[in-house]
Amino acid sequence: MESPTGPWLRALSSLLHPSSPRRSREELAALEERLYEAIRRHPGETMAVIAPAVGATAGELNRPATSLRGKGRVRSVGQRQYTRYFPMGE
């Protein structure tokens, strides 16, 4: 039996995100590259400074930034809104 909150949560989610399709791998890869180039141009800056240079919001850049850190292309220092990003040597 489905939880009584299940339909309610789905309805709420559709209201909050009416047409938020998932980004394709190609879109994420392109955004990741744009983010990396922006971090190279603005080393040591926060995502609030870098995001406008990429043309995206800080929230939209969360997944590409995590991917770049995982690949060792970028390192981050700090926490939350004070996190600063630095390119790693290639």
Side-chain angles (χ1 to χ4, degrees):
M1 185 169 130
E2 187 172 10
S3 159
T5 58
W8 180 83
L9 287 176
R10 279 194 300 279
L12 179 62
S13 177
S14 68
L15 288 174
L16 293 175
H17 310 286
S19 61
S20 59
R22 292 174 57 119
R23 295 178 286 185
S24 70
R25 286 184 179 152
E26 294 80 19
E27 289 172 318
L28 285 172
L31 189 55
E32 187 177 307
E33 282 308 309
R34 289 196 337 249
L35 175 58
Y36 180 70
E37 290 304 318
I39 291 172
R40 288 184 61 200
R41 286 191 308 270
H42 306 282
E45 288 293 348
T46 64
M47 198 56 76
V49 173
I50 296 168
V54 175
T57 66
E60 292 170 334
L61 296 176
N62 184 29
R63 187 167 178 182
T66 300
S67 177
L68 286 171
R69 283 194 309 268
K71 293 174 181 176
R73 296 180 71 193
V74 168
R75 73 180 176 92
S76 59
V77 177
Q79 296 178 358
R80 299 187 185 191
Q81 72 266 26
Y82 303 110
T83 304
R84 297 186 175 279
Y85 296 87
F86 298 89
M88 300 294 285
E90 282 193 8

